[in-house]
Each structure stands twice: as structure tokens, then as C-alpha cells.
mmCIF file of all heavy atoms in Angstrom:
data_model
loop_
_atom_site.group_PDB
_atom_site.id
_atom_site.type_symbol
_atom_site.label_atom_id
_atom_site.label_comp_id
_atom_site.label_asym_id
_atom_site.label_seq_id
_atom_site.Cartn_x
_atom_site.Cartn_y
_atom_site.Cartn_z
ATOM 1 N N VAL A 1398 20.565 -19.921 -17.544
ATOM 2 C CA VAL A 1398 20.563 -19.334 -18.887
ATOM 3 C C VAL A 1398 20.472 -17.814 -18.820
ATOM 4 O O VAL A 1398 21.129 -17.106 -19.590
ATOM 5 C CB VAL A 1398 19.395 -19.901 -19.720
ATOM 6 C CG1 VAL A 1398 19.318 -19.235 -21.089
ATOM 7 C CG2 VAL A 1398 19.531 -21.412 -19.871
ATOM 8 N N GLY A 1399 19.670 -17.301 -17.890
ATOM 9 C CA GLY A 1399 19.409 -15.872 -17.814
ATOM 10 C C GLY A 1399 20.593 -15.033 -17.402
ATOM 11 O O GLY A 1399 20.584 -13.815 -17.617
ATOM 12 N N ARG A 1400 21.636 -15.627 -16.823
ATOM 13 C CA ARG A 1400 22.817 -14.842 -16.456
ATOM 14 C C ARG A 1400 23.494 -14.227 -17.682
ATOM 15 O O ARG A 1400 24.253 -13.268 -17.571
ATOM 16 C CB ARG A 1400 23.813 -15.704 -15.679
ATOM 17 C CG ARG A 1400 24.260 -16.958 -16.408
ATOM 18 C CD ARG A 1400 25.174 -17.809 -15.539
ATOM 19 N NE ARG A 1400 25.287 -19.160 -16.062
ATOM 20 C CZ ARG A 1400 26.140 -20.065 -15.582
ATOM 21 N NH1 ARG A 1400 26.953 -19.757 -14.580
ATOM 22 N NH2 ARG A 1400 26.180 -21.284 -16.083
ATOM 23 N N ASP A 1401 23.229 -14.793 -18.869
ATOM 24 C CA ASP A 1401 23.807 -14.254 -20.102
ATOM 25 C C ASP A 1401 22.969 -13.138 -20.703
ATOM 26 O O ASP A 1401 23.416 -12.459 -21.640
ATOM 27 C CB ASP A 1401 23.932 -15.363 -21.154
ATOM 28 C CG ASP A 1401 24.817 -16.514 -20.708
ATOM 29 O OD1 ASP A 1401 25.761 -16.268 -19.943
ATOM 30 O OD2 ASP A 1401 24.546 -17.660 -21.120
ATOM 31 N N ALA A 1402 21.734 -12.942 -20.217
ATOM 32 C CA ALA A 1402 20.798 -11.987 -20.814
ATOM 33 C C ALA A 1402 20.928 -10.609 -20.174
ATOM 34 O O ALA A 1402 21.517 -10.438 -19.102
ATOM 35 C CB ALA A 1402 19.366 -12.500 -20.654
ATOM 36 N N GLY A 1403 20.339 -9.629 -20.849
ATOM 37 C CA GLY A 1403 20.262 -8.307 -20.249
ATOM 38 C C GLY A 1403 19.203 -8.251 -19.169
ATOM 39 O O GLY A 1403 19.371 -7.589 -18.143
ATOM 40 N N HIS A 1404 18.100 -8.978 -19.419
ATOM 41 C CA HIS A 1404 17.036 -9.078 -18.427
ATOM 42 C C HIS A 1404 16.350 -10.425 -18.606
ATOM 43 O O HIS A 1404 16.278 -10.945 -19.719
ATOM 44 C CB HIS A 1404 16.016 -7.950 -18.589
ATOM 45 C CG HIS A 1404 15.320 -7.603 -17.314
ATOM 46 N ND1 HIS A 1404 15.700 -6.554 -16.505
ATOM 47 C CD2 HIS A 1404 14.273 -8.186 -16.679
ATOM 48 C CE1 HIS A 1404 14.912 -6.501 -15.443
ATOM 49 N NE2 HIS A 1404 14.033 -7.480 -15.516
ATOM 50 N N ALA A 1405 15.862 -11.004 -17.510
ATOM 51 C CA ALA A 1405 15.185 -12.300 -17.579
ATOM 52 C C ALA A 1405 14.040 -12.328 -16.585
ATOM 53 O O ALA A 1405 14.124 -11.735 -15.497
ATOM 54 C CB ALA A 1405 16.166 -13.432 -17.297
ATOM 55 N N TYR A 1406 12.983 -13.024 -16.991
ATOM 56 C CA TYR A 1406 11.808 -13.206 -16.142
ATOM 57 C C TYR A 1406 11.523 -14.698 -16.015
ATOM 58 O O TYR A 1406 11.515 -15.428 -17.005
ATOM 59 C CB TYR A 1406 10.574 -12.530 -16.743
ATOM 60 C CG TYR A 1406 10.695 -11.038 -16.925
ATOM 61 C CD1 TYR A 1406 11.173 -10.509 -18.121
ATOM 62 C CD2 TYR A 1406 10.332 -10.163 -15.904
ATOM 63 C CE1 TYR A 1406 11.282 -9.131 -18.294
ATOM 64 C CE2 TYR A 1406 10.435 -8.789 -16.068
ATOM 65 C CZ TYR A 1406 10.908 -8.282 -17.268
ATOM 66 O OH TYR A 1406 11.018 -6.925 -17.431
ATOM 67 N N GLY A 1407 11.248 -15.147 -14.798
ATOM 68 C CA GLY A 1407 10.787 -16.508 -14.567
ATOM 69 C C GLY A 1407 9.338 -16.482 -14.122
ATOM 70 O O GLY A 1407 8.991 -15.730 -13.192
ATOM 71 N N ILE A 1408 8.496 -17.282 -14.781
ATOM 72 C CA ILE A 1408 7.065 -17.300 -14.492
ATOM 73 C C ILE A 1408 6.708 -18.654 -13.904
ATOM 74 O O ILE A 1408 7.001 -19.702 -14.489
ATOM 75 C CB ILE A 1408 6.234 -17.057 -15.773
ATOM 76 C CG1 ILE A 1408 6.769 -15.855 -16.557
ATOM 77 C CG2 ILE A 1408 4.768 -16.895 -15.418
ATOM 78 C CD1 ILE A 1408 6.804 -14.562 -15.781
ATOM 79 N N GLU A 1409 6.051 -18.645 -12.738
ATOM 80 C CA GLU A 1409 5.720 -19.890 -12.039
ATOM 81 C C GLU A 1409 4.443 -19.670 -11.228
ATOM 82 O O GLU A 1409 4.317 -18.658 -10.524
ATOM 83 C CB GLU A 1409 6.871 -20.299 -11.118
ATOM 84 C CG GLU A 1409 6.582 -21.421 -10.145
ATOM 85 C CD GLU A 1409 6.151 -22.715 -10.829
ATOM 86 O OE1 GLU A 1409 6.819 -23.130 -11.782
ATOM 87 O OE2 GLU A 1409 5.135 -23.290 -10.383
ATOM 88 N N ARG A 1410 3.501 -20.603 -11.310
ATOM 89 C CA ARG A 1410 2.219 -20.446 -10.622
ATOM 90 C C ARG A 1410 2.302 -20.711 -9.122
ATOM 91 O O ARG A 1410 1.466 -20.228 -8.354
ATOM 92 C CB ARG A 1410 1.167 -21.357 -11.253
ATOM 93 C CG ARG A 1410 1.501 -22.826 -11.150
ATOM 94 C CD ARG A 1410 0.602 -23.679 -12.039
ATOM 95 N NE ARG A 1410 -0.705 -23.877 -11.440
ATOM 96 C CZ ARG A 1410 -1.700 -24.520 -12.024
ATOM 97 N NH1 ARG A 1410 -1.542 -24.999 -13.254
ATOM 98 N NH2 ARG A 1410 -2.841 -24.699 -11.420
ATOM 99 N N ASP A 1411 3.291 -21.495 -8.669
ATOM 100 C CA ASP A 1411 3.421 -21.842 -7.252
ATOM 101 C C ASP A 1411 4.149 -20.710 -6.516
ATOM 102 O O ASP A 1411 5.336 -20.497 -6.721
ATOM 103 C CB ASP A 1411 4.199 -23.147 -7.112
ATOM 104 C CG ASP A 1411 4.389 -23.567 -5.664
ATOM 105 O OD1 ASP A 1411 3.918 -22.859 -4.751
ATOM 106 O OD2 ASP A 1411 5.034 -24.615 -5.432
ATOM 107 N N PRO A 1412 3.451 -19.970 -5.641
ATOM 108 C CA PRO A 1412 4.104 -18.838 -4.962
ATOM 109 C C PRO A 1412 5.258 -19.255 -4.061
ATOM 110 O O PRO A 1412 6.213 -18.487 -3.890
ATOM 111 C CB PRO A 1412 2.964 -18.194 -4.158
ATOM 112 C CG PRO A 1412 1.913 -19.252 -4.044
ATOM 113 C CD PRO A 1412 2.031 -20.098 -5.275
ATOM 114 N N ASN A 1413 5.202 -20.442 -3.493
ATOM 115 C CA ASN A 1413 6.314 -20.908 -2.663
ATOM 116 C C ASN A 1413 7.568 -21.125 -3.506
ATOM 117 O O ASN A 1413 8.686 -20.800 -3.077
ATOM 118 C CB ASN A 1413 5.937 -22.209 -1.952
ATOM 119 C CG ASN A 1413 4.839 -22.010 -0.924
ATOM 120 O OD1 ASN A 1413 4.788 -20.980 -0.250
ATOM 121 N ND2 ASN A 1413 3.947 -22.974 -0.798
ATOM 122 N N ALA A 1414 7.391 -21.679 -4.721
ATOM 123 C CA ALA A 1414 8.528 -21.857 -5.623
ATOM 124 C C ALA A 1414 9.079 -20.503 -6.067
ATOM 125 O O ALA A 1414 10.306 -20.337 -6.206
ATOM 126 C CB ALA A 1414 8.118 -22.688 -6.831
ATOM 127 N N VAL A 1415 8.195 -19.528 -6.285
ATOM 128 C CA VAL A 1415 8.644 -18.190 -6.667
ATOM 129 C C VAL A 1415 9.477 -17.564 -5.547
ATOM 130 O O VAL A 1415 10.517 -16.934 -5.800
ATOM 131 C CB VAL A 1415 7.439 -17.299 -7.025
ATOM 132 C CG1 VAL A 1415 7.861 -15.837 -7.191
ATOM 133 C CG2 VAL A 1415 6.786 -17.801 -8.310
ATOM 134 N N ASP A 1416 9.049 -17.730 -4.308
ATOM 135 C CA ASP A 1416 9.833 -17.224 -3.169
ATOM 136 C C ASP A 1416 11.227 -17.847 -3.174
ATOM 137 O O ASP A 1416 12.232 -17.156 -2.947
ATOM 138 C CB ASP A 1416 9.127 -17.534 -1.855
ATOM 139 C CG ASP A 1416 7.872 -16.699 -1.641
ATOM 140 O OD1 ASP A 1416 7.716 -15.673 -2.339
ATOM 141 O OD2 ASP A 1416 7.051 -17.074 -0.776
ATOM 142 N N LYS A 1417 11.291 -19.150 -3.425
ATOM 143 C CA LYS A 1417 12.584 -19.826 -3.459
ATOM 144 C C LYS A 1417 13.421 -19.335 -4.642
ATOM 145 O O LYS A 1417 14.640 -19.146 -4.529
ATOM 146 C CB LYS A 1417 12.378 -21.339 -3.543
ATOM 147 C CG LYS A 1417 13.658 -22.155 -3.581
ATOM 148 C CD LYS A 1417 14.531 -21.924 -2.361
ATOM 149 C CE LYS A 1417 13.853 -22.423 -1.094
ATOM 150 N NZ LYS A 1417 14.756 -22.261 0.089
ATOM 151 N N ALA A 1418 12.770 -19.101 -5.796
ATOM 152 C CA ALA A 1418 13.486 -18.605 -6.973
ATOM 153 C C ALA A 1418 14.075 -17.222 -6.715
ATOM 154 O O ALA A 1418 15.226 -16.944 -7.089
ATOM 155 C CB ALA A 1418 12.546 -18.574 -8.177
ATOM 156 N N CYS A 1419 13.302 -16.350 -6.062
ATOM 157 C CA CYS A 1419 13.807 -15.018 -5.732
ATOM 158 C C CYS A 1419 15.008 -15.104 -4.787
ATOM 159 O O CYS A 1419 16.001 -14.370 -4.940
ATOM 160 C CB CYS A 1419 12.704 -14.178 -5.092
ATOM 161 S SG CYS A 1419 11.353 -13.738 -6.213
ATOM 162 N N GLU A 1420 14.907 -16.015 -3.841
ATOM 163 C CA GLU A 1420 16.026 -16.240 -2.920
ATOM 164 C C GLU A 1420 17.249 -16.758 -3.674
ATOM 165 O O GLU A 1420 18.382 -16.341 -3.418
ATOM 166 C CB GLU A 1420 15.597 -17.235 -1.850
ATOM 167 C CG GLU A 1420 16.668 -17.549 -0.819
ATOM 168 C CD GLU A 1420 16.208 -18.596 0.176
ATOM 169 O OE1 GLU A 1420 15.013 -18.610 0.519
ATOM 170 O OE2 GLU A 1420 17.051 -19.421 0.592
ATOM 171 N N ASN A 1421 17.023 -17.646 -4.647
ATOM 172 C CA ASN A 1421 18.142 -18.170 -5.437
ATOM 173 C C ASN A 1421 18.809 -17.072 -6.260
ATOM 174 O O ASN A 1421 20.031 -17.053 -6.412
ATOM 175 C CB ASN A 1421 17.648 -19.286 -6.359
ATOM 176 C CG ASN A 1421 17.369 -20.569 -5.600
ATOM 177 O OD1 ASN A 1421 17.960 -20.830 -4.554
ATOM 178 N ND2 ASN A 1421 16.464 -21.387 -6.126
ATOM 179 N N ALA A 1422 18.006 -16.150 -6.811
ATOM 180 C CA ALA A 1422 18.579 -15.024 -7.554
ATOM 181 C C ALA A 1422 19.437 -14.159 -6.639
ATOM 182 O O ALA A 1422 20.541 -13.734 -7.019
ATOM 183 C CB ALA A 1422 17.470 -14.196 -8.194
ATOM 184 N N ARG A 1423 18.945 -13.891 -5.418
ATOM 185 C CA ARG A 1423 19.696 -13.060 -4.471
ATOM 186 C C ARG A 1423 21.004 -13.723 -4.073
ATOM 187 O O ARG A 1423 22.057 -13.068 -4.027
ATOM 188 C CB ARG A 1423 18.850 -12.765 -3.234
ATOM 189 C CG ARG A 1423 17.726 -11.768 -3.470
ATOM 190 C CD ARG A 1423 17.125 -11.310 -2.144
ATOM 191 N NE ARG A 1423 16.488 -12.416 -1.431
ATOM 192 C CZ ARG A 1423 15.204 -12.746 -1.567
ATOM 193 N NH1 ARG A 1423 14.438 -12.078 -2.416
ATOM 194 N NH2 ARG A 1423 14.700 -13.726 -0.861
ATOM 195 N N ARG A 1424 20.950 -15.013 -3.770
ATOM 196 C CA ARG A 1424 22.168 -15.684 -3.293
ATOM 197 C C ARG A 1424 23.243 -15.767 -4.365
ATOM 198 O O ARG A 1424 24.421 -15.897 -4.061
ATOM 199 C CB ARG A 1424 21.838 -17.058 -2.714
ATOM 200 C CG ARG A 1424 21.586 -18.155 -3.710
ATOM 201 C CD ARG A 1424 21.462 -19.504 -3.022
ATOM 202 N NE ARG A 1424 20.226 -19.615 -2.265
ATOM 203 C CZ ARG A 1424 19.960 -20.579 -1.393
ATOM 204 N NH1 ARG A 1424 20.863 -21.501 -1.141
ATOM 205 N NH2 ARG A 1424 18.802 -20.640 -0.780
ATOM 206 N N ASN A 1425 22.824 -15.677 -5.649
ATOM 207 C CA ASN A 1425 23.801 -15.708 -6.744
ATOM 208 C C ASN A 1425 24.094 -14.323 -7.308
ATOM 209 O O ASN A 1425 24.840 -14.201 -8.286
ATOM 210 C CB ASN A 1425 23.288 -16.624 -7.854
ATOM 211 C CG ASN A 1425 23.338 -18.094 -7.466
ATOM 212 O OD1 ASN A 1425 24.401 -18.706 -7.418
ATOM 213 N ND2 ASN A 1425 22.173 -18.663 -7.156
ATOM 214 N N GLY A 1426 23.531 -13.278 -6.703
ATOM 215 C CA GLY A 1426 23.817 -11.911 -7.116
ATOM 216 C C GLY A 1426 23.322 -11.557 -8.502
ATOM 217 O O GLY A 1426 23.884 -10.674 -9.159
ATOM 218 N N LEU A 1427 22.250 -12.216 -8.963
ATOM 219 C CA LEU A 1427 21.721 -11.981 -10.303
ATOM 220 C C LEU A 1427 20.518 -11.055 -10.210
ATOM 221 O O LEU A 1427 19.358 -11.469 -10.237
ATOM 222 C CB LEU A 1427 21.364 -13.308 -10.970
ATOM 223 C CG LEU A 1427 22.566 -14.246 -11.200
ATOM 224 C CD1 LEU A 1427 22.113 -15.616 -11.696
ATOM 225 C CD2 LEU A 1427 23.547 -13.629 -12.190
ATOM 226 N N THR A 1428 20.802 -9.762 -10.097
ATOM 227 C CA THR A 1428 19.756 -8.778 -9.834
ATOM 228 C C THR A 1428 18.933 -8.434 -11.079
ATOM 229 O O THR A 1428 17.886 -7.779 -10.964
ATOM 230 C CB THR A 1428 20.388 -7.490 -9.281
ATOM 231 O OG1 THR A 1428 21.372 -7.003 -10.221
ATOM 232 C CG2 THR A 1428 21.081 -7.762 -7.945
ATOM 233 N N HIS A 1429 19.388 -8.848 -12.256
ATOM 234 C CA HIS A 1429 18.646 -8.545 -13.483
ATOM 235 C C HIS A 1429 17.600 -9.616 -13.812
ATOM 236 O O HIS A 1429 16.958 -9.546 -14.856
ATOM 237 C CB HIS A 1429 19.616 -8.397 -14.664
ATOM 238 C CG HIS A 1429 20.307 -9.676 -15.037
ATOM 239 N ND1 HIS A 1429 21.245 -10.287 -14.232
ATOM 240 C CD2 HIS A 1429 20.177 -10.476 -16.125
ATOM 241 C CE1 HIS A 1429 21.672 -11.392 -14.819
ATOM 242 N NE2 HIS A 1429 21.040 -11.534 -15.965
ATOM 243 N N ILE A 1430 17.432 -10.592 -12.909
ATOM 244 C CA ILE A 1430 16.469 -11.673 -13.126
ATOM 245 C C ILE A 1430 15.336 -11.541 -12.119
ATOM 246 O O ILE A 1430 15.570 -11.471 -10.912
ATOM 247 C CB ILE A 1430 17.153 -13.049 -13.006
ATOM 248 C CG1 ILE A 1430 18.254 -13.182 -14.066
ATOM 249 C CG2 ILE A 1430 16.132 -14.183 -13.164
ATOM 250 C CD1 ILE A 1430 19.023 -14.481 -14.011
ATOM 251 N N GLU A 1431 14.105 -11.499 -12.611
ATOM 252 C CA GLU A 1431 12.928 -11.356 -11.771
ATOM 253 C C GLU A 1431 12.043 -12.598 -11.872
ATOM 254 O O GLU A 1431 12.005 -13.256 -12.916
ATOM 255 C CB GLU A 1431 12.096 -10.136 -12.217
ATOM 256 C CG GLU A 1431 12.831 -8.822 -12.149
ATOM 257 C CD GLU A 1431 11.960 -7.681 -12.634
ATOM 258 O OE1 GLU A 1431 10.757 -7.667 -12.282
ATOM 259 O OE2 GLU A 1431 12.470 -6.820 -13.379
ATOM 260 N N PHE A 1432 11.329 -12.873 -10.799
ATOM 261 C CA PHE A 1432 10.410 -14.011 -10.777
ATOM 262 C C PHE A 1432 9.013 -13.523 -10.417
ATOM 263 O O PHE A 1432 8.833 -12.682 -9.533
ATOM 264 C CB PHE A 1432 10.886 -15.072 -9.800
ATOM 265 C CG PHE A 1432 12.162 -15.738 -10.256
ATOM 266 C CD1 PHE A 1432 13.399 -15.284 -9.797
ATOM 267 C CD2 PHE A 1432 12.129 -16.785 -11.165
ATOM 268 C CE1 PHE A 1432 14.572 -15.870 -10.237
ATOM 269 C CE2 PHE A 1432 13.301 -17.383 -11.608
ATOM 270 C CZ PHE A 1432 14.520 -16.926 -11.145
ATOM 271 N N ILE A 1433 8.022 -14.055 -11.123
ATOM 272 C CA ILE A 1433 6.649 -13.597 -11.003
ATOM 273 C C ILE A 1433 5.739 -14.797 -10.765
ATOM 274 O O ILE A 1433 5.826 -15.807 -11.479
ATOM 275 C CB ILE A 1433 6.212 -12.862 -12.290
ATOM 276 C CG1 ILE A 1433 7.126 -11.643 -12.531
ATOM 277 C CG2 ILE A 1433 4.751 -12.438 -12.211
ATOM 278 C CD1 ILE A 1433 6.979 -11.033 -13.910
ATOM 279 N N ALA A 1434 4.872 -14.692 -9.766
ATOM 280 C CA ALA A 1434 3.897 -15.743 -9.484
ATOM 281 C C ALA A 1434 2.700 -15.563 -10.410
ATOM 282 O O ALA A 1434 1.898 -14.645 -10.222
ATOM 283 C CB ALA A 1434 3.471 -15.699 -8.026
ATOM 284 N N ALA A 1435 2.600 -16.423 -11.420
ATOM 285 C CA ALA A 1435 1.502 -16.321 -12.384
ATOM 286 C C ALA A 1435 1.411 -17.618 -13.155
ATOM 287 O O ALA A 1435 2.400 -18.353 -13.295
ATOM 288 C CB ALA A 1435 1.717 -15.147 -13.347
ATOM 289 N N ASP A 1436 0.230 -17.911 -13.662
ATOM 290 C CA ASP A 1436 0.041 -19.062 -14.536
ATOM 291 C C ASP A 1436 0.696 -18.783 -15.882
ATOM 292 O O ASP A 1436 0.598 -17.677 -16.422
ATOM 293 C CB ASP A 1436 -1.454 -19.316 -14.720
ATOM 294 C CG ASP A 1436 -1.722 -20.585 -15.505
ATOM 295 O OD1 ASP A 1436 -1.646 -20.532 -16.747
ATOM 296 O OD2 ASP A 1436 -2.003 -21.613 -14.879
ATOM 297 N N ALA A 1437 1.368 -19.797 -16.430
ATOM 298 C CA ALA A 1437 2.095 -19.613 -17.690
ATOM 299 C C ALA A 1437 1.172 -19.187 -18.821
ATOM 300 O O ALA A 1437 1.615 -18.502 -19.758
ATOM 301 C CB ALA A 1437 2.810 -20.903 -18.067
ATOM 302 N N GLY A 1438 -0.097 -19.564 -18.757
ATOM 303 C CA GLY A 1438 -1.020 -19.222 -19.825
ATOM 304 C C GLY A 1438 -1.779 -17.930 -19.612
ATOM 305 O O GLY A 1438 -2.523 -17.499 -20.499
ATOM 306 N N LYS A 1439 -1.594 -17.281 -18.462
ATOM 307 C CA LYS A 1439 -2.350 -16.069 -18.156
ATOM 308 C C LYS A 1439 -1.474 -14.841 -17.965
ATOM 309 O O LYS A 1439 -1.966 -13.711 -18.010
ATOM 310 C CB LYS A 1439 -3.197 -16.294 -16.886
ATOM 311 C CG LYS A 1439 -4.244 -17.390 -17.045
ATOM 312 C CD LYS A 1439 -5.029 -17.601 -15.753
ATOM 313 C CE LYS A 1439 -6.070 -18.705 -15.931
ATOM 314 N NZ LYS A 1439 -6.813 -18.955 -14.681
ATOM 315 N N TRP A 1440 -0.167 -15.047 -17.753
ATOM 316 C CA TRP A 1440 0.729 -13.911 -17.553
ATOM 317 C C TRP A 1440 0.826 -13.083 -18.824
ATOM 318 O O TRP A 1440 0.896 -13.618 -19.939
ATOM 319 C CB TRP A 1440 2.115 -14.436 -17.156
ATOM 320 C CG TRP A 1440 3.156 -13.354 -17.081
ATOM 321 C CD1 TRP A 1440 3.276 -12.401 -16.119
ATOM 322 C CD2 TRP A 1440 4.227 -13.122 -18.006
ATOM 323 N NE1 TRP A 1440 4.350 -11.586 -16.381
ATOM 324 C CE2 TRP A 1440 4.952 -12.009 -17.523
ATOM 325 C CE3 TRP A 1440 4.650 -13.746 -19.186
ATOM 326 C CZ2 TRP A 1440 6.084 -11.506 -18.192
ATOM 327 C CZ3 TRP A 1440 5.761 -13.255 -19.848
ATOM 328 C CH2 TRP A 1440 6.473 -12.146 -19.358
ATOM 329 N N LYS A 1441 0.833 -11.769 -18.665
ATOM 330 C CA LYS A 1441 0.964 -10.866 -19.798
ATOM 331 C C LYS A 1441 2.260 -10.072 -19.671
ATOM 332 O O LYS A 1441 2.458 -9.364 -18.677
ATOM 333 C CB LYS A 1441 -0.224 -9.898 -19.867
ATOM 334 C CG LYS A 1441 -1.572 -10.582 -20.024
ATOM 335 C CD LYS A 1441 -1.666 -11.366 -21.334
ATOM 336 C CE LYS A 1441 -3.037 -12.000 -21.494
ATOM 337 N NZ LYS A 1441 -3.109 -12.837 -22.721
#
């Protein structure tokens, strides 16, 4: 979905999943999408 946006953030508490998400963004050349390791209820 985020490939259509100007900027996108993915929030996930599992740091291993975040590492994989960052790798997935790189392999697809989607540099405007960032992933952050944080609890969905605590991220600001």
C-alpha cells in the first residue's frame, strides 16, 4: 500500500521482523518507506 504514498512508516514490536521489513523495502527499492521497532500502543 505504501508504494502509492509520499511517505510510509511500518510499526512492529518484533525487532527481527523489523529487520526483515527493512530488507524487504531495500530489495524493492522503496526508499520512502521506513520501519520502526516499537509497540503499536507506545510509538509516538
Side-chain angles (χ1 to χ4, degrees):
V1398 176
R1400 56 184 163 172
D1401 300 329
H1404 207 97
Y1406 299 91
I1408 312 302
E1409 169 59 48
R1410 62 192 282 177
D1411 179 0
N1413 293 324
V1415 170
D1416 289 343
K1417 180 59 65 177
C1419 292
E1420 180 183 325
N1421 286 333
R1423 287 192 296 269
R1424 78 172 71 192
N1425 288 286
L1427 297 172
T1428 57
H1429 67 291
I1430 299 178
E1431 300 179 42
F1432 292 95
I1433 300 167
D1436 186 279
K1439 297 178 180 178
W1440 173 73
K1441 300 297 182 184

